[in-house]
Structure formats: structure tokens, C-alpha cells
Amino acid sequence: MAVNLDKEAYYRRIKRFYSNWKKGEDEFGKVDAIVVSVGVDEEIVYAKSTAIQTWLFGYELTDTIMVFCDTKIIFLASKKKVDFLRQVAVTKGNENANGVPPITLLTREKNESNKANFDKMIEAIKGSKEGKTVGVFSKDKFPGDYMKSWNDALSSEGLERVDISAVVAYTMAVKEDGELSLMKKAAAITGEVYTKFFKERVMEIVDADEKVRHSKLAESVEKAIEEKKYLGGADPSTVEMCYPPIIQSGGNYSLKFSVVSDKNYMHFGAITCAMGIRYKSYCSNLVRTLMVDPTQEMQDNYNFLLQVEEELLKELKHGVKLCDAYNTVLDYVKKEKPDLVAKLTKNLGFAMGIEFREGSLVLNAKNQYKLKKGMVLSISLGFSDLVSKDGKKEEQKYAFFIGDTIQINEEEAATVLTPVKKKIKNVAIFLKNDDEEDEEEDGDDAEELLGKGSRSAALLADRTRLLGKNEMTAEEKRRAHQKELSNHLNEEAKRRLTEQKGEQHIQKARKSNVSYKNVSQMPKEKEIKDMKIFIDKKYETVIMPVFGIATPFHIATIKNISMSVEGDYTYLRINFYVPGSSLGRQEGNIFPNPDATFVKEITYRASNLKAPGDTSVPSTNLQNALRIIKEVQKRYKTREAEEKEKEGIVKQDSLVINLNRSNPKLKDLYIRPNITQKRMQGSLEAHTNGFRFTSVRGDKVDILYNNIKHAIFQPCDGEMIIVLHFHLKNAIMFGKRRHTDVQFYTEVGEITTDLGKHQHMHDRDDLYAEQMEREMRHKLKSAFKNFIEKVETLTKEELEFEVPFRDLGFQGAPYRSTCLLQPTSSSLVNVTEWPPFVVTLDEVELVHFERVQFHLKNFDVVIVYKDYNKKVTMINAVPVNSLDPIKEWLNSCDIKYTEGVQSLNWTKIMKTIVDDPEGFFEQGGWSFLDPESEGSGAEEDSESEMEDETFNPSADEEEEEEEDSDEDYSSETEDSVDYSASLGSEEESGKDWDELEEEARKADRESHYEDEDTSNRKRKVRSSVPPRKKKRRS
């Protein structure tokens, strides 16, 4: 048969249906038989009659009458539908059919009154229980002669009708696992359409200041579900809208799902959007409010609405009455903000499934039905008729509306199936007006053409090409903002250092190692009695004969050991650590008892000649001692290094394992840094309070959510790997090392390419490989995004993944190689190269640009931290064309930046600040980096200082040069003055060539006399006119 019916689902559900009927609760106890009749009506989208058919059979069966009696079931339908229903009518050999009443199939007669069939069904109704009352869905009224004749037949028998819509809805409300998975898929598609289409479209409209009607925008959302890219891989034929999307703004709000989008233009204030996707007959719903330039009052009210929703989610549990949940939320609003009680929506949601809205299971103050585990609800809360006090006239009235599809759990709070972010930062669009004053002066015409288009959404970097005038204005604004930051910076730093003044860095004393606590622990070996060197491996001690006494020295006291052979003797030299000797960079230089007497070195000598009667050469003992001492020393140092790694490690809480199989999980990932020498694949799974990475070998690495400082998701766009990177607050130990950066990645394409392979652009294999790589990238990106969304939902958005802004990235070399450094919302990162680079912006005091000169292609970036004891971070070789974008980004993050032409000694600068912070800030603090701190002439002064430093002639040379230059510069200057005067006269009077030549000869004679007068003056008297430099002769 072409169409298959899920028999197992039918048997499970019909048993549940009959079980509830036999319990006789509510209306079920009043009916003797149940009649479900479905006619043909294209206009009816949701009806209880069609819903029960879909629930039992998976399909709607038009012109079909179903009669459920106490002991049997009768179906009257056309021949094709009867053939379809025969799959469940024949129960032979099916164990699941036990306890299900037998089915009688009647075939509908065409163009006949069907009286015979009607009589059979009425007879069955009368034979069921008392045969007086019939359960029907009173709201379902289908047109047509067939349905009319059946209703007339029922009426003529005088049977009492009872509406059983509510009890049947309650029976169907608890969803099976298969139904839940369909509703989760529907909710996921709704989230995709909202995020990828609607939200992006609204941002485009706001950014471009378009005029778009609500109805047109709603139509475009309906068309979007025809495109596969918004459906998360679902077949478009299985997807439809639950209702036309409802978009409202501009003060006209009706927070219901029965309204339609009007034809008014979208207003840039509070924009409510409600949409629901139906997937394979199961519904979902999502409501969000987007805001453009919201006032603080609007933001506070919106945040309170989010809190109200959180309270509601906590209340919605198994066994709770719908009215109790509503009243608890209402009490919460009364307690926190009583003025908003009247503004709250009259109901807070309803049950949902095959039908979009279940009218008998509405979340209001009167509903006595109890929630059950597995129910799915659409919750929707809003505040209407709110008034903004500081808004414009048309912006005064606004409303907020939010809603989600949720699943009821046993004891935990309800699970949100539509995890679309709804915090202020995710739904608010803040605009900035560029050069508002200029717009006003330009007049009405210019405003119509250009004014509104100059606005740009602050969520992305401003990429608009501005005129030169506007660029200057932007630079001036930046400078003004930096000046404010500069003043605040010094005050804040001074206050911070004053608070930290009492804290002193205590240098750790070197660990004292005792070989033996008492004499009884010393070994009683023959070598010790024979005055030979003996190594006690258990206590890591070397026992040496000193003046005939066996003296123990712990291996930690030995600095190094060497052996040399001279003639017939072998010498073993042992050097010890003593005060004054360097102990290496990693070890403390303070001894526990520095006033004691120390042995600096001991040398032992042994013969290389074998004496008669000896079993071995005497020097053999020294050779063995050298080997064993080095082994013990190596073992001790390795253990010490491991202990040192563990020092300062903050003890983490234990990972709480969630045994649920549906935990968010990513497979086939590599971990960096490696747990062992070779890299190994494994899986990353999210649990109750943290992640666990399990390698194929069984190694485990746990990362707790509360220890993650930055969670960064680096997509594979333009990269060869896709990465989840965790920058931790406190280091964790694995692979015998401590790590503050851990990342999990998988390779997207081939990182290495076979150059020997013949390449051709039209090679089919290559084209196929490219296509496969594109598909792989898309698949991995979707898997990682899905994992992230699930984790954020699991942690209730306490852990949020940051995605680097590739458009704002710039090249630089924080370590040895150049890489792309990309800002995120709270950090500057590069996580694709190893070691990773992560700088937290909140920890940055200021950023200084070094070697910023016109003739250089690159400059360096120095990041100074608020903790002055922390070493500054250097990023070398940043292209000079990235300077302005970096400045713009830092300015938007409220981070002070400065620039200079020289490279500074930062180690010395930071030491000076830490040693005397008060003196540093008394002298102006960080203003010494700012070129504008000493006025406009600061740059000229610095240039002249540089010239003085580069060229300092002797005093004699200076005098000679002054004498020569006085003569030349004075005559030259006067000559040029006269020449310029004659030039001016020529322009005024228009003299001919002869007159001009005469004037020139006259001027030459005058200048000759002046030269003679000048030579008689004292040599060292300077000319009143500032001298010009001599022209160099070629």
C-alpha cells in the first residue's frame, strides 16, 4: 500500500483514549458513546475532529465518520480510506492490539443517502452503555449534504449531545517522545527563520532607514520558509506557518494571536514579532520584541518582563494547576512593580500540539487543570499601553511581548524549546547619528536626500564612506573621547594603586629537605662502613665520608657533579648550593638558615690501578656513584617540576555527571594542548556544571562552567580548522602540566597539499573535492552552532560563547609568527594558531602604538594591564593601514590609546611605576605618552630634541659656523625681501622689461653696499632676521 499507517502509535493512543474514558473524569463520565465526524472545509485550519484523526492515524481523513462505542469502533469512509484503515482493523498476530476494541469498517455509498450505514452506527451507539448521550466536538461544524444528513440522523433519534473537547484535549496534551521530537524540530525551525531572516531583515531596514509596511514584512517571512537555508535541513513540503506572522510597532499593539499585521509602516521603536512554524502537523510558537534606541526606562521594563518569564518557567512543573502558576506570577508582579499589573496580558499562554491553541488549557486565573510531564505549552507574556516619558510624541506609547515554546518536566523548571536569545544586548539596536549639526544646516532638501541615510546600526562597525569633512569630525570626536578617558585613567589607576599599597609580595623561602629525621633511619650498608660513597635512593640522599664520618647530603643540596681522569687517578667533584650562588630562575634564592656553615664542594680521588687481591678497580665506586647520583637527581628534579606546576592550582569542584543521553555532545575532536605526545581524537560532552572531554584512550579532561573566563567559537570561515576555545580563570592540570587555555578543534580541509599531483582548474576530482569541502564546512558549522545553542540553554545563558569579528581583525605577531588577531565582545584573540593569544579587554589599562612614522610600513602595539606587576603584551609588525580601524575599535571599547615614534623600555617603565606610584602620578601619570599633552608645539620640540641628540657639534665648530652663516644669511635674506617687494610692484603697475632691468641693477648696487657695511660689524652679532640654512652645492 502506498500510504503506511503507524499501527503501534495508533494502538498506544487508542488505549490511552479508552483508558481515560473508562475513568469517567469530567465530561467523559457523562457520555455513552463518542462521535467524530469530519467533512470538507478548506477554510478550517484547526479543529478537534481533524486533530484526533492526525493523532491516531497521522493523516486527516475528510468525509469520514468515527463512532467510538464501549465495546467496538465503527469507521464510515470512502473505499480508499477504508483500505488505508484496514491496516489497524486487522489485529491478528499483533500483541499491541490486545485490549483495543475491534474495528468495523463501513464503505460510504456515493450519491446515496447512506441510511443503511447510519442506522448501523446509531444502533451501535444505542447499544453502548446506556445509549442516551453522545460525546461530540460542538465547535466543529462542517458544511455539505453528507454531514447534514448525518447530523439530522443523530438528532432524529433524540440523543443528548455533550461537548467533550476539553477532556479529549487533556488526553492528547501529554506528548510521546516522537511527538516531542517533531515539536522540538518545529521550534528549531522557528528560531532559525526568526534569527537568520526576520532579525537580519529588520536590522537592514533600520540601517538603511527603509519604509516597509508590517504586512509586507510578514509576507516576506512567509516566503522565507520556502527556502531550504532557513529550515535547518527540513523538507519545505512538511513546513507551514501556524498563522500569518504578526508584526506590530508605532504605538498600535494588540498582544493576541488572532490579529493580523496592519498596513502601517514599521516604526523604529518597540517592534513586536510573533511567528510559529508547523512541522509535520505539530506546532511551535515564538514571540520577540526588538527595540531601536530604547530609553533606560524601556530597558528596565523589558528586563523585568524577562524576570517575570523566568518566574513563570520555575512554576510550570508536573502537578501544578494552571491557575496557581498564573496567580504566582501575578503576585510576583504586584510585589516588584505593582504599577505594571494592569498592563500584564490577561493570559500567559496555552497548551499546544497538533492544534496551535488549545482553548481549554489556557494559562489564566480560572483554569483548574493540572500540568503533566510531557505537555508542551506556548507561553506569551507582555506589557501593553506603556508610556515613555522622555520619548517623542509618536514614541510615547509602546508595548513588550515575549513568548516561547516550552516542555513541562517532572520536578525541574520547564525546558525552553525555542532558545532564541532575548537579553537586551540581543534585541536592542542602538543607533548613532553622524554629524547631526551638519545635517540641520544642510536644509530640508539635503535632509530628504542624505540625512536619514547617515544613521548606521552600532551592532556592526561603521563601513559608510564619509566625506573628508565628516572624517575630520569623527577624528575630533575620537580625540575628545580619548581626552576624557585620559583624565579618568590616571584617577582610577591612582586610586587602585593606593588600595593595593598595603599588599607586599613575599618571596618564598627555599624548601628545606631533611634526609633523615634521626640516626636510626640511616642505612647500615657495608659501603658506608668501608668509607665509600653510598646513594640511598629511598630517601634521595648521598652518604659521603667526610673526615672519616659518614655524612648524609640530600640530593637537593647538590648543584652539579663531574668526573675527570688524570694519570692513574679518577677525581669526582661534587658542587653544592650555597648562599651567593645562583639557584636558577625558577628556584627561590632565600635559604632557610643562611648563617649556618655550608660546604661548597667536595672532591674524591680513587686509583685506576687494580691492587693485588682486589676484586675491582677502586675508581669503579666513583663511576657508579656518578651514574646513580645523576639518576636520582633527574628523578628529583622531575618530581619538583611537577609539584611546581601544581602550585597555585585552585581546587575545582567535582564535575556533576548528567546521565541523560540527550546531553549536548561533539564527537571526533582534537584537544590542544595534547594530553600525550601524539594528538588523539575524543568527544566533548556538556554536563550539569561543566564539560568533559574523553579521548579514545580513555583520558578525561574536565572544564567547569564557573572556571571559564572566555568561551570562544571560531567558525571555519577562512580557516582550516573550526575551534571551541576556553580561556580559564584558574589553571587546570592535565598531561603533567598546568594550562589556562584549552581548545577543541577539528580540521575542515586538507592543511597540507600534494604539490606533485597534477593540478587543473577543471579537473572533476578537484571540483568534487571542493564541493565536498564546502558541504563539510557547512555541516561542521551547523553541528558546532547547535552544540553551542544547547549549552547556552543548559546553562541559562550564564555561559555565552563569543564569536570573533573577522571584519575588525588585523594582522600582527604576538609571538614568533604573524597571525590574524580578531576582537570579540570582551577580548582580543587568535585561537587558530598555537600558542593561542587571548587578552581580556576589562584588564587593559591602555594601549600604546610604537614606531608610528610615515616612512614605516609597520608599527607595534603595546598592551599595558591594570595589574602593573603583569608583563606588558607586545604585538609586533602590525600593518600601518590597520592603525585607524584599531583606534576606532579601542575608542568604541572606552580604552585609552597613545602613539609615539620610538620604542620604549617597558620593563624599566613598569618597574619605576611599581616602585613609586605616587611620584609617577604626581608627574602627570600616563600623560607622558600623549604627544598632545604639552600643547601643539610638542611635536616640533620632540623633533628638535632628536636632531640635537643625533648631531652635537663642538663649541669651536659652532662659533665658526655662526660667523660664516651671519654674513651669508643676512645678505641673502634682505636680498629675498627686496626681490619680493619688486615682484609686488610689478604686479601693481605693470612695468615693461627695460624698467625692470634698471630696477634690478639698482637693487644689486644697494645690496653690494650693504655687504661692505655688514663685513665691518662684529663677527658674532647675529642678524635680526632668522637665518636660513645654506644651500648645498651639487
Side-chain angles (χ1 to χ4, degrees):
M1 191 173 283
V3 181
N4 289 321
L5 193 155
D6 189 344
K7 290 185 279 187
E8 309 307 322
Y10 168 79
Y11 294 136
R12 279 197 312 273
R13 292 168 189 177
I14 201 71
K15 280 179 184 176
R16 195 204 300 179
F17 182 74
Y18 267 88
S19 171
N20 284 7
W21 184 14
K22 284 174 183 175
K23 284 179 188 174
E25 294 176 358
D26 300 320
E27 283 79 15
F28 266 145
K30 301 174 185 176
V31 298
D32 300 321
I34 296 167
V35 174
V36 179
S37 52
V38 178
V40 180
D41 190 350
E42 295 295 331
E43 291 181 8
I44 295 177
V45 180
Y46 302 109
K48 190 67 76 238
S49 306
T50 54
I52 198 168
Q53 284 185 346
T54 307
W55 186 60
L56 291 172
F57 312 123
Y59 297 94
E60 286 184 18
L61 306 174
T62 54
D63 286 337
T64 301
I65 300 170
M66 301 187 291
V67 176
F68 299 95
C69 299
D70 187 22
T71 55
K72 63 180 174 180
I73 301 170
I74 302 173
F75 294 151
L76 173 61
S78 64
K79 189 176 183 302
K80 280 187 179 180
K81 294 185 183 79
V82 166
D83 290 341
F84 169 71
L85 293 168
R86 196 165 275 120
Q87 295 176 74
V88 289
V90 179
T91 58
K92 194 175 180 181
N94 195 320
E95 292 179 5
N96 293 320
N98 293 339
V100 175
I103 296 172
T104 302
L105 298 174
L106 301 176
T107 306
R108 179 189 164 198
E109 299 167 9
K110 287 186 179 180
N111 304 320
E112 295 289 335
S113 62
N114 285 286
K115 189 174 183 306
N117 288 329
F118 290 169
D119 289 343
K120 286 178 186 176
M121 289 192 290
I122 289 168
E123 188 184 333
I125 291 168
K126 287 181 175 179
S128 176
K129 294 188 178 180
E130 294 180 12
K132 292 179 181 178
T133 55
V134 178
V136 294
F137 303 129
S138 55
K139 285 186 180 178
D140 294 0
K141 292 176 181 175
F142 290 90
D145 294 338
Y146 179 53
M147 286 293 115
K148 187 176 181 299
S149 58
W150 166 243
N151 288 325
D152 290 344
L154 274 179
S155 302
S156 63
E157 295 298 327
L159 296 168
E160 186 188 342
R161 301 188 189 197
V162 177
D163 185 16
I164 56 167
S165 300
V167 285
V168 171
Y170 198 55
T171 303
M172 293 165 59
V174 178
K175 305 293 183 286
E176 297 174 353
D177 289 344
E179 292 178 288
L180 286 173
S181 63
L182 290 173
M183 296 194 80
K184 284 176 183 176
K185 181 67 175 174
I189 296 170
T190 307
E192 288 279 294
V193 173
Y194 168 82
T195 308
K196 292 183 178 177
F197 180 80
F198 177 77
K199 191 177 175 184
E200 290 295 320
R201 181 74 187 107
V202 169
M203 284 178 63
E204 284 173 15
I205 292 166
V206 173
D207 200 19
D209 200 13
E210 290 181 46
K211 280 193 170 185
V212 179
R213 296 183 192 275
H214 295 142
S215 53
K216 287 287 180 187
L217 187 56
E219 283 173 22
S220 67
V221 175
E222 287 193 77
K223 286 179 183 174
I225 66 167
E226 296 170 10
E227 297 182 44
K228 268 195 171 182
K229 62 180 176 181
Y230 300 122
L231 304 183
D235 182 1
S237 64
T238 61
V239 176
E240 60 182 325
M241 299 300 296
C242 295
Y243 55 93
I246 304 164
I247 298 156
Q248 302 175 86
S249 68
N252 300 319
Y253 300 96
S254 177
L255 307 186
K256 297 175 183 176
F257 297 102
S258 55
V259 298
V260 292
S261 301
D262 59 32
K263 292 184 178 180
N264 294 332
Y265 289 110
M266 191 174 81
H267 181 266
F268 297 163
I271 305 159
T272 66
C273 169
M275 64 172 72
I277 298 288
R278 199 177 189 200
Y279 176 66
K280 292 186 177 177
S281 301
Y282 282 86
C283 300
S284 66
N285 198 24
L286 176 72
V287 187
R288 288 291 180 268
T289 301
L290 293 173
M291 289 172 277
V292 182
D293 271 342
T295 61
Q296 190 57 50
E297 181 198 1
M298 290 173 75
Q299 292 181 47
D300 294 342
N301 286 338
Y302 182 81
N303 284 327
F304 179 66
L305 185 60
L306 294 182
Q307 290 170 20
V308 174
E309 189 189 27
E310 281 298 316
E311 287 298 316
L312 178 60
L313 289 171
K314 288 176 191 172
E315 287 300 313
L316 297 176
K317 294 176 186 173
H318 178 80
V320 175
K321 284 185 179 179
L322 289 165
C323 58
D324 291 346
Y326 177 87
N327 290 327
T328 305
V329 170
L330 199 66
D331 292 342
Y332 176 77
V333 177
K334 282 178 183 174
K335 181 186 171 186
E336 298 294 327
K337 289 197 176 184
D339 54 316
L340 291 177
V341 173
K343 313 286 186 185
L344 188 67
T345 44
K346 299 306 174 200
N347 69 65
L348 304 180
F350 42 80
M352 187 169 59
I354 296 169
E355 287 188 275
F356 172 68
R357 184 179 186 274
E358 187 44 69
S360 59
L361 294 172
V362 176
L363 200 55
N364 58 23
K366 297 177 183 177
N367 204 319
Q368 296 294 316
Y369 278 108
K370 288 183 179 179
L371 292 167
K372 288 187 178 181
K373 183 187 174 185
M375 280 186 175
V376 174
L377 272 67
S378 166
I379 58 167
S380 50
L381 313 86
F383 294 133
S384 57
D385 297 326
L386 295 170
V387 178
S388 178
K389 293 171 187 174
D390 53 349
K392 296 173 187 175
K393 283 184 181 178
E394 68 270 22
E395 290 177 330
Q396 282 182 348
K397 206 172 179 184
Y398 67 94
F400 291 136
F401 201 22
I402 59 170
D404 287 289
T405 304
I406 62 149
Q407 178 188 334
I408 304 300
N409 297 320
E410 186 81 45
E411 293 177 358
E412 300 171 3
T415 306
V416 178
L417 304 182
T418 44
V420 177
K421 294 178 182 177
K422 51 183 177 280
K423 287 185 178 178
I424 278 283
K425 63 180 179 181
N426 305 118
V427 299
I429 304 169
F430 293 93
L431 300 176
K432 54 184 179 183
N433 288 328
D434 295 338
D435 224 351
E436 287 177 355
E437 292 175 9
D438 287 359
E439 282 180 18
E440 288 171 13
E441 289 170 12
D442 285 344
D444 295 338
D445 296 337
E447 188 178 332
E448 283 175 19
L449 293 169
L450 300 169
K452 291 180 180 177
S454 68
R455 291 194 287 182
S456 59
L459 296 178
L460 294 172
D462 184 14
R463 300 179 197 164
T464 315
R465 291 185 178 179
L466 300 171
L467 300 170
K469 190 176 180 183
N470 288 351
E471 277 182 14
M472 287 300 293
T473 310
E475 179 63 27
E476 283 168 14
K477 284 180 182 176
R478 209 160 61 193
R479 284 180 183 172
H481 187 221
Q482 285 295 310
K483 199 170 183 181
E484 289 172 22
L485 290 174
S486 182
N487 299 334
H488 178 70
L489 175 72
N490 284 332
E491 290 169 15
E492 182 65 24
K494 194 174 181 180
R495 183 191 59 76
R496 196 171 59 247
L497 287 173
T498 307
E499 288 173 4
Q500 295 173 354
K501 196 176 177 184
E503 300 173 14
Q504 290 184 347
H505 184 66
I506 300 164
Q507 195 173 5
K508 196 178 174 185
R510 191 162 184 266
K511 186 179 167 186
S512 177
N513 292 290
V514 178
S515 295
Y516 306 110
K517 290 180 180 177
N518 52 57
V519 183
S520 62
Q521 288 181 328
M522 275 192 69
K524 308 286 190 288
E525 300 293 329
K526 185 176 179 293
E527 287 91 335
I528 298 171
K529 292 176 182 175
D530 294 345
M531 290 295 138
K532 290 181 179 179
I533 297 172
F534 177 76
I535 296 94
D536 185 353
K537 291 183 181 179
K538 183 182 176 184
Y539 289 97
E540 293 176 330
T541 298
V542 182
I543 299 170
M544 309 178 201
V546 179
F547 300 117
I549 299 167
T551 311
F553 290 88
H554 194 275
I555 199 76
T557 61
I558 296 173
K559 187 177 181 181
N560 53 48
I561 182 167
S562 61
M563 180 180 277
S564 60
V565 179
E566 294 179 15
D568 295 339
Y569 293 97
T570 297
Y571 295 86
L572 183 70
R573 182 181 176 183
I574 302 170
N575 293 320
F576 297 91
Y577 285 115
V578 294
S581 66
S582 61
L583 302 181
R585 290 172 63 188
Q586 302 299 324
E587 301 184 49
N589 280 314
I590 299 173
F591 282 79
N593 189 7
D595 297 329
T597 304
F598 288 83
V599 178
K600 189 173 184 181
E601 68 173 76
I602 298 177
T603 305
Y604 291 95
R605 187 183 76 168
S607 174
N608 292 336
L609 302 174
K610 188 178 178 182
D614 287 348
T615 54
S616 61
V617 177
S619 62
T620 308
N621 182 47
L622 294 186
Q623 291 169 1
N624 289 338
L626 174 75
R627 179 177 55 81
I628 297 168
I629 288 170
K630 285 198 169 180
E631 281 177 15
V632 175
Q633 201 173 30
K634 185 180 178 183
R635 194 172 65 206
Y636 171 77
K637 282 182 177 176
T638 305
R639 196 180 70 250
E640 282 289 296
E642 285 177 13
E643 284 177 9
K644 192 146 198 152
E645 286 288 331
K646 288 177 186 175
E647 273 179 25
I649 291 284
V650 177
K651 193 173 186 297
Q652 302 291 317
D653 298 332
S654 299
L655 183 73
V656 179
I657 301 294
N658 188 352
L659 299 173
N660 193 347
R661 288 187 179 181
S662 62
N663 286 343
K665 191 172 186 179
L666 281 175
K667 295 179 180 178
D668 301 329
L669 298 180
Y670 294 106
I671 185 172
R672 278 202 295 203
N674 298 332
I675 301 172
T676 55
Q677 293 285 336
K678 292 181 180 179
R679 67 175 192 166
M680 280 187 296
Q681 280 190 330
S683 60
L684 181 69
E685 191 169 0
H687 291 281
T688 306
N689 66 334
F691 296 101
R692 169 164 283 182
F693 175 79
T694 310
S695 72
V696 288
R697 203 180 68 171
D699 303 291
K700 289 181 175 61
V701 176
D702 294 344
I703 300 170
L704 301 186
Y705 300 139
N706 60 9
N707 191 32
I708 295 172
K709 196 176 196 177
H710 297 291
I712 297 154
F713 168 50
Q714 175 68 63
C716 49
D717 302 329
E719 304 288 352
M720 297 306 290
I721 58 174
I722 185 166
V723 182
L724 286 181
H725 184 95
F726 300 110
H727 183 66
L728 308 178
K729 295 173 187 173
N730 302 305
I732 60 170
M733 284 286 295
F734 65 87
K736 298 182 180 179
R737 299 290 296 276
R738 56 191 293 175
H739 306 285
T740 49
D741 285 285
V742 185
Q743 66 176 224
F744 306 95
Y745 71 97
T746 187
E747 291 171 359
V748 180
E750 293 181 12
I751 291 178
T752 56
T753 307
D754 184 5
L755 296 175
K757 182 185 170 187
H758 176 66
Q759 300 281 329
H760 193 274
M761 64 180 289
H762 297 299
D763 190 349
R764 284 189 178 183
D765 291 343
D766 286 354
L767 292 171
Y768 179 71
E770 280 180 26
Q771 187 181 346
M772 289 297 290
E773 186 178 318
R774 273 197 299 274
E775 288 175 8
M776 172 67 79
R777 281 176 183 271
H778 179 70
K779 192 177 176 184
L780 284 171
K781 206 171 172 183
S782 301
F784 272 71
K785 276 188 174 178
N786 189 30
F787 175 79
I788 287 166
E789 284 171 5
K790 285 180 180 176
V791 170
E792 287 180 345
T793 307
L794 181 70
T795 59
K796 294 183 179 173
E797 295 188 14
E798 286 177 15
L799 177 69
E800 284 196 37
F801 283 81
E802 302 171 41
V803 180
F805 301 120
R806 195 175 181 85
D807 293 343
L808 299 178
F810 58 91
Q811 296 290 333
Y815 303 114
R816 290 181 182 177
S817 60
T818 302
C819 58
L820 181 66
L821 301 166
Q822 302 173 72
T824 71
S825 54
S826 63
S827 58
L828 177 66
V829 301
N830 172 266
V831 295
T832 51
E833 305 284 331
W834 197 263
F837 177 84
V838 181
V839 170
T840 306
L841 297 182
D842 288 344
E843 294 175 0
V844 174
E845 180 84 309
L846 66 91
V847 175
H848 181 66
F849 306 124
E850 293 185 340
R851 300 191 305 109
V852 179
Q853 298 181 47
F854 287 114
H855 63 278
L856 294 178
K857 290 182 180 179
N858 298 324
F859 65 96
D860 302 332
V861 177
V862 180
I863 298 170
V864 181
Y865 296 98
K866 289 176 181 175
D867 179 4
Y868 292 162
N869 292 308
K870 193 174 178 181
K871 191 180 176 185
V872 300
T873 298
M874 295 278 293
I875 304 171
N876 299 316
V878 180
V880 78
N881 58 3
S882 300
L883 183 60
D884 272 346
I886 295 172
K887 282 182 178 178
E888 189 62 43
W889 165 62
L890 290 172
N891 195 53
S892 68
C893 296
D894 292 338
I895 294 175
K896 169 71 179 164
Y897 63 80
T898 55
E899 62 180 81
V901 294
Q902 295 173 323
S903 294
L904 303 174
N905 186 343
W906 284 99
T907 310
K908 202 171 180 180
I909 290 169
M910 299 313 292
K911 189 176 184 304
T912 306
I913 297 169
V914 172
D915 290 348
D916 183 17
E918 290 172 358
F920 172 70
F921 287 107
E922 277 173 14
Q923 292 171 11
W926 290 109
S927 58
F928 80 94
L929 292 171
D930 202 338
E932 296 180 358
S933 58
E934 293 176 13
S936 59
E939 291 178 15
E940 292 174 15
D941 295 344
S942 63
E943 284 176 15
S944 63
E945 282 172 20
M946 284 178 68
E947 284 176 18
D948 291 345
E949 286 172 13
T950 52
F951 180 66
N952 290 316
S954 64
D956 298 333
E957 286 173 337
E958 272 189 31
E959 283 180 9
E960 286 173 18
E961 205 168 57
E962 279 181 7
E963 287 167 10
D964 294 340
S965 62
D966 283 347
E967 292 177 13
D968 297 333
Y969 289 156
S970 61
S971 60
E972 209 172 313
T973 310
E974 286 171 19
D975 186 53
S976 63
V977 169
D978 288 340
Y979 179 71
S980 63
S982 67
L983 204 79
S985 64
E986 175 205 350
E987 288 171 357
E988 288 165 17
S989 59
K991 296 174 183 177
D992 60 21
W993 284 109
D994 294 335
E995 287 174 327
L996 288 171
E997 283 177 4
E998 184 60 37
E999 281 184 7
R1001 277 196 292 273
K1002 196 175 179 182
D1004 288 343
R1005 282 198 298 273
E1006 286 174 4
S1007 64
H1008 177 67
Y1009 296 142
E1010 283 177 9
D1011 287 348
E1012 286 181 356
D1013 292 338
T1014 309
S1015 62
N1016 294 329
R1017 293 176 195 166
K1018 289 183 180 180
R1019 295 280 183 180
K1020 289 189 181 180
V1021 176
R1022 285 181 178 269
S1023 170
S1024 59
V1025 181
R1028 294 190 303 176
K1029 290 184 180 178
K1030 285 185 178 179
K1031 292 181 182 176
R1032 293 182 182 174
R1033 291 180 182 175
S1034 55

